[in-house]
Amino acid sequence: MIRGRLSLGRLWPLAAAVRPFASPVEPRRQFRAGRSRQRDFYQGFEKEMDLFRQRLKAALPGTDWNPWGISKDLPPEWADVVIVGGGIIGWSIAFWLKMREPHRNALRVVVVERDLQYTKASTVLSVGGIRQQFSLPENIRMSRFSAEFLRTVNDYLGVFNEPPIDIQFNPSGYLFLATEEGAAVLEENVQIQRMEGAEVSLLSPTQLKKTFPWVNTDGVALASYGLENEGWFDPWTLLNALRNKAMSMGVFQSVGEVTSFQCRSNEMVTADGEIVDFPRIMVANTPPIRCAIVVNAAGAWSGKLAEMAGVGTGPPESLAGIKLPVEPKKRYVYVWHCPNGPGLETPMLIDSTGAYFRREGIGGNYLGSLSPTEEEEPDTQDLEVDHEFFQEKIWPKLAHRVPAFESLKVKSSWAGYYDYNTFDQNPVIGTHPLVQNLYFASGFSGHGLQHSLAVGKCVTELILDGEYKTVDLRRFSFDRLIKGEKILEKNII
Ligand SMILES: Cc1cc2nc3c(=O)[nH]c(=O)nc-3n(C[C@H](O)[C@H](O)[C@H](O)COP(=O)(O)OP(=O)(O)OC[C@H]3O[C@@H](n4cnc5c(N)ncnc54)[C@H](O)[C@@H]3O)c2cc1C
């Protein structure tokens, strides 16, 4: 069952509000009756419309007049596609689905989100970075697609009569530092990135010192520096812009938590004749929404959501027993001030130790962190920040690399959840082999924000065309979990 805020009690005022607008026959009759009657009608019509909007607002607070949909909060009883999770991934998929038929309502799409404040969602707690410097061609291609999208974000997401979108993009390269031990891998990665068309330069310690004089090059054997398509932006703005645009094209938003799936048939015959107890048609409800396809875009909670659909609940050795290995992992972000720190040209620096930082605005403010080791993984019950982790594990590394940081002062901090794929830290995208109307788009393990725009388009292609066209993401399918084949990304932060 899905617990939602919507109840029948909320529907009645809406029905009353709609009534004045109910007779489409009226206008035609009056139109034929002559010019003065026509003017009267239009004056009357405008008044009726004003009244209608006022009543709609009173009936559903927070609902704006939306000529394409019925209401932004009122979910329909059925949909073609229900997307669970209204983070950046969910809204990107919704947007791209509607882009395929922007002016017709042939495809009914609903996004179900339990928390419109996004208090725990990874999207709004991320640090907003985009880079081309990955080791897997798929990840590089997705970043390059997203960078192009962000460059022309207003062409895609601009809404008529609304102010232009400013995602506050800060163009700035990522600077990866490698020790003697890691230099060969770094060089190999850069070769792959260049083959994919990315502009990345390799710097010797001397070149590094010349470019960024404030870096202590001790222990650095090689560095790679992105020359384009890298930087950071405001995740909230992008999320809101995607949601706004998708809703303006008719996507419905449903506020509620998906807590179970119901199914019409709970038997399914697989290719090898095995009968498994899995739903074919899933129902998500706030009250219930019947649908043909469910997309699991529940971020760090998608492992849990998959379980609700039966994934991973079968006997351990069977196909039905393989879980979606995505779970929350807590990551801290610290913001500090250092008046004599590096200036405007500061890149997003990723130290060989894994510690990273970037400029946060101007005026000597910086933001950064370090992922804990497996043994140090903090409890995920809450989003409390461990301040000692900064003092003991991060600060010494930062101060070694940038001596000016010896005098830094931490000003604020926060924690968020990585949507972590414990199998190989890469996303699981595509259908489940048994529950074939369940699509996955989760497990991005710290790089989902920048890939969301490409992922949305690719998942749309898979749903509507049955194959990928923009970026071939077949290697990220659920099948690799079955085969036990890890697709490892070497540049995980
Ligand atoms: C500290 C930090 C820094 C990061 N930095 C970067 C970065 O620089 N660049 C980058 O690309 N990525 C970064 N990421 C990763 C990125 O934020 C995520 O990969 C991405 O936001 C995932 O988006 P999502 O939509 O899948 O998840 P979310 O944003 O978490 O959205 C999932 C939504 O699903 C909803 N939900 C879950 N279960 C249910 C349910 N049962 N019913 C209804 N709703 C449900 C949740 O409420 C949530 O809003 C970072 C993450 C963190 C935590």
Side-chain angles (χ1 to χ4, degrees):
M1 287 291 148
I2 297 177
R3 258 183 287 117
R5 285 197 213 144
L6 196 76
S7 67
L8 256 189
R10 285 192 83 191
L11 292 178
W12 290 121
L14 177 70
V18 173
R19 220 176 290 131
F21 192 45
S23 174
V25 183
E26 271 307 278
R28 272 217 213 120
R29 267 200 224 132
Q30 296 217 7
F31 186 76
R32 284 202 208 100
R35 279 177 164 257
S36 58
R37 297 277 305 270
Q38 235 185 76
R39 212 171 26 241
D40 289 349
F41 161 69
Y42 281 112
Q43 278 170 2
F45 178 79
E46 266 310 308
K47 272 190 199 149
E48 292 267 341
M49 283 301 296
D50 276 347
L51 204 65
F52 171 72
R53 286 179 195 133
Q54 280 168 23
R55 287 193 191 170
L56 185 67
K57 250 193 167 144
L60 292 170
T63 306
D64 295 327
W65 168 241
N66 168 21
W68 287 276
I70 299 167
S71 138
K72 290 178 180 174
D73 288 326
L74 187 65
E77 285 173 6
W78 65 270
D80 297 293
V81 184
V82 168
I83 298 166
V84 185
I88 201 80
I89 297 289
W91 279 110
S92 171
I93 297 168
F95 160 74
W96 282 110
L97 279 168
K98 275 318 229 191
M99 276 295 274
R100 287 289 289 269
E101 49 101 56
H103 305 299
R104 292 173 292 130
N105 265 331
L107 194 66
R108 199 179 267 197
V109 181
V110 177
V111 175
V112 187
E113 170 55 52
R114 64 182 175 195
D115 173 20
L116 286 190
Q117 309 296 317
Y118 292 100
T119 44
K120 292 181 184 161
S122 309
T123 300
V124 300
L125 296 169
S126 82
V127 300
I130 178 166
R131 61 184 159 111
Q132 308 176 95
Q133 295 181 68
F134 286 96
S135 67
L136 291 176
E138 288 90 340
N139 285 336
I140 304 167
R141 286 174 203 163
M142 285 197 282
S143 283
R144 287 174 61 74
F145 176 90
S146 296
E148 196 51 45
F149 184 105
L150 293 176
R151 201 169 277 127
T152 51
V153 67
N154 275 288
D155 294 348
Y156 283 109
L157 303 183
V159 174
F160 178 66
N161 252 349
E162 288 193 15
I165 301 152
D166 177 8
I167 57 160
Q168 294 158 45
F169 194 85
N170 274 271
S172 178
Y174 274 58
L175 179 68
F176 281 84
L177 307 184
T179 57
E180 199 65 59
E181 218 182 7
V185 174
L186 187 82
E187 203 169 349
E188 221 172 84
N189 291 346
V190 170
Q191 296 313 329
I192 298 169
Q193 290 149 16
R194 285 179 179 164
M195 270 174 358
E196 291 299 327
E199 292 258 358
V200 183
S201 69
L202 279 169
L203 305 175
S204 67
T206 319
Q207 289 167 317
L208 176 64
K209 189 79 191 169
K210 206 169 161 205
T211 318
F212 304 107
W214 42 265
V215 172
N216 171 13
T217 56
D218 278 3
V220 177
L222 194 64
S224 66
Y225 182 48
L227 301 175
E228 60 169 24
N229 292 333
E230 296 194 338
W232 55 90
F233 57 92
D234 181 33
W236 255 118
T237 308
L238 183 64
L239 176 67
N240 275 329
L242 272 170
R243 186 168 63 155
N244 204 18
K245 183 70 180 186
M247 285 174 79
S248 80
M249 293 193 292
V251 174
F252 294 89
Q253 173 176 263
S254 166
V255 185
E257 179 165 8
V258 176
T259 55
S260 75
F261 295 98
Q262 296 167 358
C263 48
R264 243 189 250 168
S265 150
N266 59 1
E267 271 190 359
M268 191 185 155
V269 184
T270 63
D272 44 27
E274 189 191 354
I275 294 182
V276 286
D277 185 23
F278 273 114
R280 183 79 182 133
I281 302 290
M282 312 216 180
V283 182
N285 36 351
T286 43
I289 307 167
R290 266 185 304 119
C291 62
I293 286 172
V294 173
V295 182
N296 181 346
W301 303 272
S302 31
K304 230 171 157 186
L305 189 85
E307 239 174 81
M308 291 174 204
V311 173
T313 57
E317 297 307 313
S318 70
L319 199 53
I322 298 173
K323 290 185 185 305
L324 178 71
V326 179
E327 56 185 61
K329 294 267 186 205
K330 189 152 96 171
R331 294 292 177 263
Y332 308 118
V333 182
Y334 305 88
V335 179
W336 63 87
H337 181 67
C338 180
N340 55 342
L344 250 189
E345 85 291 0
T346 314
M348 173 78 155
L349 188 147
I350 321 294
D351 190 38
S352 50
T353 57
Y356 70 85
F357 76 92
R358 67 157 163 86
R359 185 168 59 68
E360 175 66 342
I362 48 174
N365 294 322
Y366 305 86
L367 159 166
S369 194
L370 164 77
S371 285
T373 60
E374 235 174 282
E375 300 75 51
E376 293 164 347
E377 277 296 350
D379 185 35
T380 54
Q381 291 294 316
D382 55 42
L383 284 175
E384 289 290 303
V385 175
D386 181 350
H387 294 282
E388 277 178 17
F389 188 72
F390 183 83
Q391 301 293 327
E392 288 168 14
K393 305 283 172 176
I394 305 180
W395 194 3
K397 294 180 175 74
L398 291 173
H400 171 73
R401 193 54 69 210
V402 183
F405 283 162
E406 265 165 30
S407 61
L408 64 78
K409 283 209 167 47
V410 175
K411 286 172 61 179
S412 62
S413 56
W414 75 85
Y417 294 120
Y418 264 19
D419 43 338
Y420 199 83
N421 177 351
T422 56
F423 181 68
D424 63 5
Q425 294 91 62
N426 262 314
V428 178
I429 302 175
T431 50
H432 186 271
L434 297 177
V435 194
Q436 289 183 354
N437 52 350
L438 173 64
Y439 286 70
F440 301 110
S442 63
F444 294 89
S445 312
H447 42 98
L449 178 72
Q450 65 198 283
H451 289 158
S452 59
L453 299 162
V455 167
K457 189 155 194 281
C458 294
V459 171
T460 292
E461 290 162 358
L462 198 62
I463 292 175
L464 299 182
D465 308 318
E467 61 179 348
Y468 293 119
K469 292 180 172 166
T470 303
V471 181
D472 185 350
L473 299 180
R474 279 176 297 174
R475 287 209 298 169
F476 289 151
S477 76
F478 194 92
D479 290 2
R480 77 182 192 277
L481 306 173
I482 301 165
K483 293 181 197 152
E485 285 171 4
K486 296 185 181 194
I487 307 289
L488 290 168
E489 170 54 61
K490 293 176 193 154
N491 268 2
I492 285 286
I493 298 175

